[in-house]
Amino acid sequence: MPPRATQKQSEPDAVLVSQDVLSRLKGDILDGRFAPGARLRFAELQKTYEAGIGTLREALSHLLPEGLVELDANRGFRVAAISAEDLRDVSALHIEFEQRAIVESVRHGDDAWEAGLVLAFHRLAKIERLPREERRQRSSEWLAAHREFHRALVAACPSRWLLRLRAQMYDHMERYRLVSQRHRPLGPAKRAEHEAIRDAALARKPEQAGELLAAHLRETTETVLRHAPQFMPPP
Amino acid sequence: MPPRATQKQSEPDAVLVSQDVLSRLKGDILDGRFAPGARLRFAELQKTYEAGIGTLREALSHLLPEGLVELDANRGFRVAAISAEDLRDVSALHIEFEQRAIVESVRHGDDAWEAGLVLAFHRLAKIERLPREERRQRSSEWLAAHREFHRALVAACPSRWLLRLRAQMYDHMERYRLVSQRHRPLGPAKRAEHEAIRDAALARKPEQAGELLAAHLRETTETVLRHAPQFMPPP
DNA sequence: GCGGGCCATATTTTCGAAGATACTTGATTG
DNA sequence: CAATCAAGTATCTTCGAAAATATGGCCCGC
């Protein structure tokens, strides 16, 4: 039996199931669909993601060194806990990585980087201009656009490792933002701040862009910390 | 068939096979038993580690975000490549993390930390005093003691994330050291340097300890870089 | 009533077979 | 001779069954 139409041209989305499960699982942890500290049972995961146990273990093993899940022997996986202390720790490193990365990025960025940044800001601004209600419904689009904007800012930084670590910390900060968002009023729009950062980057002012970005992030962290008692575990 | 002697008393090392495979695999990558860039075939791994495919995939998935192995779809896992550029990148971040961590560690360390540091140095020094030949044979012991000494130095740093990232970068630097060591004469003993760092730490001089540690690491990196053409991929 | 052991249930962990996908080889054609 | 294609081989990927381990409930002796 021919094993399907033999399409020789390699599909661009020759994606692995485990990678797909990984990204969905990660997204579900980041936006709090799985509560911090919650156990992740295979029976449940199998239904949700329509994948075998081995595939799920593979995805969870990937998230282990990133610090998003934890494992204790013979008792399975748990979503990593959160705490004000951890938030401060994550945030301090995140801000520093972002600042250093954007400084280098502005210094090294070429035309393609500029174009990517302009585009990313445009997409983010477009979503942010939508009426409040529609933005709510399409929150995952805003999330992706916001993530992509911040990625575009630092994309030209030549240190691959700094970018890697920055991305890791961004993930953790996003989780804190999203978990806290369910327990506090939506913060004010940050379009003006984003625009100012973009302008400083395009004007090739590395230090200014870095300062603006750091201030932007510090403010977010403080907002989250201010409402922390509402969603943090009481210890 | 009885599935083995049923020893009910819970062994203290109720360790997972996957975790055991993980640590052995990681060690084998770090000390170059698997060449950088080499493919990791499951048939071979299965014999070496006496584990099932699923278990091996789990371990490899863990190493993926740490940057020690890479995966391309349907072509399996490879040991991450090395390059002079990557070495410089890794080293710069590693040195910085170590320096910041030791400064904080010296500031916050208590009696238990001091004791641990003294002990770790003692063990390392004991091995380094052995005759050259015996040290060669027991190189894995030296490796563990050296790693433990550096861990003990920074152990009291209160930032869990800084310690995590430091540990990651330490792993990568160790790989560069070990891979290069096969292509150059063994460097001079660093016992005096280690001792100086320990003394500065115990004397509660954070900045001095930080400077000594940073200098110590910079020197190592330069030694490795100096011999880089001999073991780096040509392109 | 209450702690401690024991069985039944729930869950995790390991493993290799079966299905996909890539690579090799060799024959064929322009 | 180079390029193309096809069958055969090698390898990766996915999956759930079976073993190993933990959890909860029950009974018993005190």
Side-chain angles (χ1 to χ4, degrees):
Chain A
M1 175 173 60
R4 213 186 284 197
T6 14
Q7 34 194 6
K8 187 57 184 291
Q9 71 275 24
S10 54
E11 292 279 329
D13 59 344
V15 85
L16 268 40
V17 173
S18 60
Q19 297 293 308
D20 182 51
V21 169
L22 170 61
S23 67
R24 284 193 287 155
L25 193 47
K26 186 167 172 175
D28 289 345
I29 289 173
L30 291 188
D31 68 7
R33 240 184 297 273
F34 292 109
R39 277 192 72 177
L40 295 166
R41 288 192 177 80
F42 285 104
E44 185 189 353
L45 298 178
Q46 232 170 340
K47 288 175 198 163
T48 306
Y49 298 101
E50 294 170 325
I53 292 176
T55 307
L56 288 164
R57 277 192 85 86
E58 188 172 333
L60 290 167
S61 297
H62 192 123
L63 294 175
L64 213 40
E66 295 191 8
L68 285 172
V69 304
E70 292 161 357
L71 169 67
D72 35 15
N74 296 320
R75 290 181 36 88
F77 292 87
R78 290 189 322 279
V79 178
I82 60 176
S83 70
E85 188 189 353
D86 181 69
L87 168 54
R88 269 185 277 263
D89 198 5
V90 166
S91 171
L93 287 169
H94 177 230
I95 292 171
E96 186 192 322
F97 292 165
E98 290 276 4
Q99 187 165 9
R100 290 175 45 174
I102 200 178
V103 167
E104 291 306 310
S105 184
V106 169
R107 286 195 182 127
H108 292 86
D110 58 7
D111 288 354
W113 167 75
E114 284 190 9
L117 176 55
V118 169
L119 179 59
F121 176 81
H122 171 74
R123 285 188 175 141
L124 178 59
K126 192 170 172 180
I127 295 177
E128 291 190 328
R129 269 193 298 269
L130 293 174
R132 188 183 200 73
E133 187 47 39
E134 195 170 353
R135 244 178 62 198
R136 263 208 176 289
Q137 290 172 344
R138 302 211 266 168
S139 65
S140 73
E141 280 178 59
W142 179 86
L143 225 57
H146 184 254
R147 169 180 290 260
E148 176 56 24
F149 172 67
H150 277 280
R151 204 195 57 77
L153 281 171
V154 299
C157 169
S159 169
R160 303 284 90 187
W161 274 99
L162 184 56
L163 289 180
R164 259 183 115 118
L165 300 180
R166 181 210 75 93
Q168 256 192 60
M169 304 318 271
Y170 184 95
D171 284 342
H172 281 268
M173 277 308 300
E174 183 170 288
R175 182 162 76 122
Y176 277 105
R177 279 205 323 271
L178 293 178
V179 170
S180 81
Q181 215 164 71
R182 301 187 162 187
H183 301 263
R184 60 176 169 83
L186 199 63
K190 300 229 173 176
R191 186 145 49 108
E193 291 185 32
H194 289 147
E195 193 166 10
I197 299 169
R198 179 205 63 177
D199 290 340
L202 292 178
R204 304 293 179 162
K205 298 179 178 171
E207 277 76 15
Q208 191 189 345
E211 282 306 324
L212 288 172
L213 177 54
H216 171 68
L217 297 172
R218 274 195 296 268
E219 202 172 288
T220 303
T221 297
E222 271 159 38
T223 302
V224 173
L225 268 172
R226 204 169 301 125
H227 297 80
Q230 297 173 22
F231 62 91
M232 290 291 187
Chain B
M1 176 172 58
R4 211 185 284 199
T6 11
Q7 33 193 8
K8 187 55 184 296
Q9 72 274 25
S10 56
E11 293 279 330
D13 58 343
V15 85
L16 267 41
V17 173
S18 60
Q19 298 293 306
D20 181 52
V21 169
L22 171 61
S23 67
R24 285 193 287 156
L25 193 47
K26 186 168 173 176
D28 289 346
I29 289 173
L30 291 188
D31 69 7
R33 239 184 299 274
F34 293 108
R39 279 191 70 179
L40 295 165
R41 289 193 177 79
F42 284 105
E44 185 189 351
L45 298 179
Q46 232 170 339
K47 288 175 197 160
T48 306
Y49 298 100
E50 294 170 325
I53 293 176
T55 307
L56 288 165
R57 277 192 84 86
E58 188 173 331
L60 290 167
S61 297
H62 191 125
L63 294 175
L64 213 39
E66 295 192 10
L68 285 171
V69 304
E70 292 161 356
L71 169 68
D72 35 19
N74 296 319
R75 289 179 38 87
F77 292 86
R78 290 188 322 280
V79 179
I82 60 176
S83 71
E85 187 190 353
D86 181 68
L87 167 54
R88 269 185 277 264
D89 197 4
V90 166
S91 171
L93 287 169
H94 176 231
I95 292 172
E96 186 192 322
F97 292 165
E98 290 276 4
Q99 186 164 9
R100 290 176 42 175
I102 199 178
V103 167
E104 291 306 310
S105 183
V106 169
R107 286 197 181 126
H108 292 87
D110 57 7
D111 288 352
W113 166 76
E114 283 190 9
L117 176 55
V118 169
L119 179 59
F121 176 81
H122 171 74
R123 286 187 175 143
L124 178 59
K126 191 170 175 182
I127 295 178
E128 290 190 329
R129 270 194 296 270
L130 293 174
R132 190 183 199 71
E133 188 48 39
E134 194 171 353
R135 242 178 64 197
R136 262 209 176 290
Q137 290 171 344
R138 302 211 267 166
S139 66
S140 73
E141 280 177 59
W142 179 86
L143 225 57
H146 184 253
R147 170 180 291 260
E148 176 55 24
F149 171 68
H150 277 281
R151 205 195 56 76
L153 281 172
V154 299
C157 169
S159 168
R160 304 285 84 184
W161 274 99
L162 183 56
L163 289 180
R164 258 183 115 119
L165 300 180
R166 180 210 77 92
Q168 256 191 61
M169 304 318 270
Y170 183 96
D171 285 341
H172 281 268
M173 276 309 299
E174 183 170 286
R175 181 161 77 121
Y176 276 105
R177 280 206 321 272
L178 292 178
V179 170
S180 82
Q181 215 164 71
R182 301 188 163 186
H183 301 265
R184 60 178 170 83
L186 199 62
K190 299 230 173 174
R191 187 146 47 108
E193 291 186 32
H194 289 147
E195 193 165 10
I197 299 168
R198 180 205 61 175
D199 290 340
L202 292 178
R204 304 292 179 162
K205 298 179 178 172
E207 276 76 16
Q208 191 190 344
E211 282 306 325
L212 288 171
L213 177 55
H216 171 69
L217 298 171
R218 275 195 296 267
E219 203 172 286
T220 303
T221 297
E222 271 159 37
T223 302
V224 174
L225 268 172
R226 205 171 299 124
H227 297 80
Q230 297 174 23
F231 62 91
M232 290 291 187

